[in-house]
Amino acid sequence: FEKSRSKVVEVAREAKTLGRDDPRRIIHSLKVGLAITLVSMFYYFDTLYQGFGISAMWAVITVVVVFEFSVGATLGKGLNRGIATFLAGFLGVGAHRLASLSTERSEPILLGLSVFVLAAAVTFLRFFPKMKARYDYGLLIFMLTFCLVCVSGYRDDEVLDIAHQRLSTILIGGAAAVLICIFICPVWAGSDLHNLIATNLEHLGNFQEGFGDEYFIKSGDNKSSLQGYKSVLNSKSTEESLANFAKWEPRHGRFKYRHPWDQYLKIGTLTRQCAYRIEALNNYLDSEIQAPLEIRVKIQESCTKMSSESSYALKELALAIRTMIRPSTVNAHIANSKIAAINVKSLLKTGLWQDTDLMDGNTNCHSCFNTYRCCRLH
Amino acid sequence: FEKSRSKVVEVAREAKTLGRDDPRRIIHSLKVGLAITLVSMFYYFDTLYQGFGISAMWAVITVVVVFEFSVGATLGKGLNRGIATFLAGFLGVGAHRLASLSTERSEPILLGLSVFVLAAAVTFLRFFPKMKARYDYGLLIFMLTFCLVCVSGYRDDEVLDIAHQRLSTILIGGAAAVLICIFICPVWAGSDLHNLIATNLEHLGNFQEGFGDEYFIKSGDNKSSLQGYKSVLNSKSTEESLANFAKWEPRHGRFKYRHPWDQYLKIGTLTRQCAYRIEALNNYLDSEIQAPLEIRVKIQESCTKMSSESSYALKELALAIRTMIRPSTVNAHIANSKIAAINVKSLLKTGLWQDTDLMDGNTNCHSCFNTYRCCRLH
């Protein structure tokens, strides 16, 4: 008993954390409840129920399956489901008509064959990367509806009625999900992507900012503020799915319909490359092998300057992305950082192994900036 | 016309590549077609159709939705669907009974309220990372079935019949999908994960093997053989989903039921850390800043030795994972590599900046080995 109680307390604490980290999760849950309750009204009111009967079920199913966290994901799934059902219903009725022209014996064989061929073809189509990214759900529903219409047509002569009712209830369910998703506290995948890209650049900037102090002074307190960049290392799949969702979204806020979402992915890739180098740099901090003290004192000033100027540049880029205002002093910071890097190099002239990492970090910073510029010009 | 023809040729070529890269994709497509055709037999034979009637639809739907590429994914979805439908049906019937005890006016209100609360609660539960990883689909189906049973019970007094028919057809569809998936050319997510981890280690080994030549000799031919490690950088999400699927799989081949799949994720994480350093190392190759020639000649032998010994160690680890036989000479290779690293260091004594990267690569190699050992002992 004691154990299950502590389990409940633990779950409650996790739920609280989840809700506090992103209150939109709580709102989303309530929105889903609202949409399902609204759609189930079909059952409660006689006038509504007369029209659809048992097909009203499909409206409830559609809401449950289509309602996703972000507007883009919901719209994408809703459109996929609606269009796929329409096309497959059309094709299924056609196949049924064709098969019913033949003899009674060969009809099930023809139907079975067409179901087999279409199911296999569509399943293979789902392996195409481009299809998978945007139309995976649509292909699934296409296959599903075709099989249902085609096969149940063998038993029920009112195929057209079935197809029609199924389509209209799915449209109603989909519309309810999409409208509630868009008009009650919408969560835009595009804005999330926009913020994620900016936050990731900030994480890199924070590392560069703290690196000098950490390396030369060893403040001794925990380096947790420097570890933010680690989340950047594995951000690829999140960014890609957000960009996919964002492409379904209509104009909203500062984002137009054809906002160049792919450019965000390019900035994301460059940010990640920069993060890989920072990961290597971070290993110097923990490494047992360190440069002797006298060298460190010698390069401390230039080195700290180099890293703090990089930090300014990265943070200004992040701010520029966030506010969508062209940055003004980034080039100056990068130039300063380069001068500092050249200083470090000349101080290390007696040495052999150059500070390639930091230089590369700088180059990268530069290429980030270039992409950003392309993005703005687009 | 010419354009659409070239488009078709392009798609056909892509399909051919997809099929040749992994012929299991073609087999999977045929398996899906077969399963759906088999299940739709329910409609064609009178004796079968008598029992289920229109509910036979759910068997087709279940096959389409549950049939996934790997056995683990199919089993996971099938079990999730089956168990969730059972539990939700049970709960839905209960809620319906409770509500029907009240007055006729308050019944729809009670039902609506219970649908709202349950839908919101389950949607929130789907945000828990642990739930999302393994039971996301089950939670969706739970919500779906509960709403359907609860709401359609208001119109139809044969709730128990509906729930029972739905459950049995889902069980039949799920069983068909799972059996065909397991017994006709099965694709095991566990084996895929096993091979992926070994291949990733091999990619790192290939880089280390080629690095010496590339850095000191600059053979000039394209470095494509060295670029294999890049796929390792972003392998995290693939590995995690494979491990999730693998946990659903029964004993197969050399893998027991409770094979320590999480250990693979640990090796994967270490491999990725190693890949980040190799990415930094790879940048030296492209960098404009290079050590002067006289230094390079001086360190060439030791440096090449260090990297080739690391390569031997990594490749032997990969082979050991693949064959599940404890490696014998890995420690010797790592020791050799360390000696070579110490040599490089002493050669660079006049220099200041140590070859931290390569040393770290070595350390990492070592920790990979340790994890592997844990995994074997488990």
Side-chain angles (χ1 to χ4, degrees):
Chain A
F1 175 71
E2 194 55 40
K3 207 176 167 189
S4 67
R5 208 188 130 202
S6 74
K7 189 86 189 166
V8 168
V9 170
E10 195 186 304
V11 169
R13 194 171 295 137
E14 205 181 334
K16 208 175 154 192
T17 319
L18 279 173
R20 197 171 32 204
D21 282 356
D22 195 346
R24 298 178 305 174
R25 288 173 180 151
I26 299 170
I27 297 172
H28 170 71
S29 308
L30 297 176
K31 276 159 73 182
V32 172
L34 178 69
I36 296 177
T37 316
L38 272 182
V39 166
S40 59
M41 292 285 170
F42 275 108
Y43 281 91
Y44 302 135
F45 293 109
D46 287 322
T47 40
L48 286 174
Y49 190 71
Q50 304 295 317
F52 296 107
I54 192 84
S55 281
M57 172 177 79
W58 289 106
V60 176
I61 294 185
T62 303
V63 169
V64 174
V65 174
V66 159
F67 212 124
E68 295 273 338
F69 188 57
S70 66
V71 174
T74 309
L75 260 175
K77 266 194 149 176
L79 287 175
N80 263 310
R81 190 174 175 103
I83 294 170
T85 306
F86 179 74
L87 289 179
F90 201 72
L91 214 69
V93 170
H96 169 250
R97 286 276 156 87
L98 264 179
S100 61
L101 290 179
S102 70
T103 61
E104 200 159 317
R105 280 209 118 181
S106 60
E107 194 186 338
I109 298 172
L110 273 180
L111 283 178
L113 205 68
S114 63
V115 163
F116 177 83
V117 169
L118 190 119
V122 171
T123 306
F124 190 73
L125 216 57
R126 289 175 75 197
F127 284 115
F128 283 71
K130 272 182 201 164
M131 289 304 217
K132 188 150 199 73
R134 294 205 76 186
Y135 306 112
D136 193 54
Y137 186 66
L139 289 171
L140 184 83
I141 292 297
F142 182 82
M143 184 159 74
L144 185 68
T145 308
F146 179 83
C147 296
L148 281 186
V149 170
C150 198
V151 167
S152 59
Y154 181 67
R155 282 291 163 182
D156 203 332
D157 287 334
E158 295 156 344
V159 194
L160 263 182
D161 259 22
I162 296 181
H164 176 247
Q165 278 193 344
R166 198 175 123 83
L167 186 62
S168 52
T169 43
I170 281 181
L171 287 184
I172 292 171
V178 166
L179 290 178
I180 289 181
C181 192
I182 292 186
F183 289 108
I184 303 180
C185 309
V187 174
W188 301 101
S191 313
D192 277 8
L193 177 62
H194 184 87
N195 290 331
L196 179 66
I197 296 289
T199 309
N200 281 349
L201 273 177
E202 270 161 21
H203 281 316
L204 301 192
N206 284 340
F207 179 89
Q208 292 275 19
E209 190 182 23
F211 175 73
D213 281 358
E214 184 61 37
Y215 185 66
F216 293 107
I217 301 174
K218 292 266 182 204
S219 47
D221 53 356
N222 63 353
K223 302 189 301 169
S224 62
S225 69
L226 296 191
Q227 303 300 311
Y229 77 90
K230 296 232 183 226
S231 69
V232 184
L233 295 170
N234 291 308
S235 62
K236 188 173 187 239
S237 52
T238 316
E239 284 169 15
E240 280 178 354
S241 63
L242 281 179
N244 258 326
F245 296 151
K247 284 177 193 164
W248 291 104
E249 289 177 350
R251 184 192 186 102
H252 57 98
R254 296 167 300 170
F255 306 100
K256 298 206 188 80
Y257 170 58
R258 284 193 170 278
H259 198 74
W261 298 114
D262 285 330
Q263 303 290 337
Y264 284 94
L265 293 185
K266 286 186 195 157
I267 302 179
T269 306
L270 290 171
T271 310
R272 233 169 297 120
Q273 275 171 15
C274 198
Y276 297 148
R277 294 170 200 203
I278 282 185
E279 167 82 5
L281 207 55
N282 190 36
N283 289 321
Y284 288 109
L285 292 180
D286 297 328
S287 174
E288 290 163 23
I289 311 152
Q290 297 285 0
L293 191 65
E294 74 259 30
I295 311 298
R296 291 214 227 167
V297 171
K298 210 166 144 195
I299 61 169
Q300 174 165 3
E301 199 192 325
S302 305
C303 215
T304 310
K305 172 117 180 140
M306 167 168 67
S307 115
S308 67
E309 289 287 342
S310 294
S311 157
Y312 294 144
L314 282 165
K315 285 188 167 179
E316 197 181 335
L317 281 177
L319 190 72
I321 290 180
R322 226 180 254 286
T323 56
M324 288 190 175
I325 292 168
R326 188 183 292 270
S328 51
T329 58
V330 166
N331 277 332
H333 285 309
I334 291 177
N336 285 343
S337 178
K338 277 197 171 155
I339 292 168
I342 290 168
N343 276 341
V344 174
K345 240 177 87 181
S346 64
L347 285 171
L348 288 175
K349 202 92 194 208
T350 40
L352 310 166
W353 220 253
Q354 272 90 358
D355 185 8
T356 322
D357 259 345
L358 282 171
M359 272 305 277
D360 279 0
N362 249 315
T363 323
N364 218 301
C365 199
H366 217 29
S367 53
C368 265
F369 176 66
N370 285 336
T371 322
Y372 171 73
R373 199 147 52 179
C374 295
C375 175
R376 289 292 297 171
L377 290 173
H378 192 94
Chain B
F1 175 71
E2 194 56 41
K3 206 176 165 189
S4 67
R5 207 187 131 202
S6 74
K7 188 85 190 167
V8 168
V9 171
E10 195 186 304
V11 169
R13 194 170 297 138
E14 203 181 335
K16 206 174 153 192
T17 320
L18 279 173
R20 197 170 34 202
D21 283 356
D22 195 346
R24 299 179 303 175
R25 287 173 179 151
I26 299 171
I27 298 172
H28 170 71
S29 307
L30 296 177
K31 277 159 70 182
V32 173
L34 178 69
I36 295 177
T37 316
L38 272 182
V39 166
S40 58
M41 294 287 171
F42 274 108
Y43 280 91
Y44 303 135
F45 294 110
D46 286 323
T47 40
L48 286 174
Y49 190 70
Q50 305 296 316
F52 296 109
I54 192 84
S55 282
M57 174 177 78
W58 288 106
V60 177
I61 294 184
T62 303
V63 170
V64 174
V65 173
V66 159
F67 212 124
E68 294 273 338
F69 187 58
S70 66
V71 174
T74 310
L75 260 175
K77 265 194 150 179
L79 287 175
N80 261 309
R81 192 174 173 101
I83 294 170
T85 306
F86 179 73
L87 289 179
F90 200 72
L91 213 70
V93 170
H96 169 251
R97 285 276 156 85
L98 263 181
S100 61
L101 290 179
S102 69
T103 62
E104 199 159 318
R105 281 209 117 182
S106 61
E107 193 186 339
I109 297 173
L110 273 179
L111 283 177
L113 205 69
S114 63
V115 164
F116 178 82
V117 169
L118 189 119
V122 172
T123 306
F124 191 74
L125 215 57
R126 288 175 73 197
F127 285 114
F128 283 71
K130 272 183 202 163
M131 289 305 221
K132 187 150 200 75
R134 295 205 74 186
Y135 307 112
D136 193 54
Y137 186 66
L139 289 172
L140 185 83
I141 293 297
F142 182 81
M143 183 158 74
L144 185 69
T145 308
F146 179 83
C147 296
L148 281 186
V149 170
C150 196
V151 167
S152 60
Y154 180 67
R155 281 292 164 184
D156 204 332
D157 287 334
E158 294 156 345
V159 193
L160 263 182
D161 258 22
I162 297 180
H164 176 247
Q165 277 192 347
R166 197 175 124 81
L167 186 62
S168 52
T169 43
I170 282 181
L171 287 184
I172 291 170
V178 166
L179 290 178
I180 289 181
C181 192
I182 291 185
F183 289 108
I184 304 180
C185 308
V187 174
W188 301 102
S191 313
D192 278 7
L193 177 62
H194 184 87
N195 291 330
L196 179 66
I197 295 290
T199 310
N200 281 350
L201 272 178
E202 270 162 21
H203 281 315
L204 300 192
N206 285 339
F207 179 89
Q208 292 276 18
E209 190 181 23
F211 175 75
D213 281 358
E214 184 59 38
Y215 185 67
F216 292 106
I217 302 172
K218 289 267 179 203
S219 48
D221 53 355
N222 64 352
K223 301 187 302 169
S224 61
S225 68
L226 295 191
Q227 303 299 311
Y229 78 90
K230 294 228 185 233
S231 69
V232 184
L233 295 170
N234 290 309
S235 63
K236 188 174 186 237
S237 52
T238 317
E239 285 169 15
E240 279 177 355
S241 64
L242 281 178
N244 259 325
F245 296 153
K247 284 178 194 162
W248 290 104
E249 290 177 349
R251 184 190 187 103
H252 57 97
R254 298 165 298 171
F255 306 100
K256 298 207 188 80
Y257 170 59
R258 284 195 170 275
H259 198 74
W261 299 114
D262 285 331
Q263 303 290 338
Y264 285 93
L265 293 185
K266 285 185 196 158
I267 302 179
T269 306
L270 290 170
T271 310
R272 232 169 299 120
Q273 274 170 14
C274 198
Y276 297 148
R277 294 168 200 205
I278 281 185
E279 167 81 6
L281 208 54
N282 190 36
N283 288 321
Y284 288 108
L285 293 179
D286 298 326
S287 175
E288 291 162 23
I289 312 153
Q290 297 284 359
L293 190 65
E294 74 259 28
I295 312 297
R296 292 216 227 164
V297 172
K298 207 168 144 195
I299 60 171
Q300 175 164 1
E301 197 193 324
S302 306
C303 215
T304 310
K305 172 115 179 138
M306 167 167 68
S307 114
S308 68
E309 290 286 342
S310 294
S311 157
Y312 294 144
L314 282 165
K315 285 187 167 180
E316 199 183 334
L317 281 178
L319 189 72
I321 290 181
R322 227 181 254 289
T323 56
M324 288 192 177
I325 292 169
R326 187 183 293 269
S328 51
T329 59
V330 166
N331 277 334
H333 286 309
I334 292 177
N336 285 343
S337 179
K338 277 197 171 156
I339 292 168
I342 291 167
N343 276 342
V344 175
K345 241 176 87 182
S346 64
L347 285 171
L348 290 173
K349 202 87 195 215
T350 42
L352 309 166
W353 218 255
Q354 272 91 358
D355 185 10
T356 321
D357 259 343
L358 283 172
M359 273 305 278
D360 279 1
N362 250 315
T363 323
N364 218 301
C365 200
H366 217 29
S367 53
C368 265
F369 177 66
N370 285 337
T371 319
Y372 171 72
R373 201 147 50 177
C374 294
C375 175
R376 290 290 299 172
L377 291 173
H378 191 93

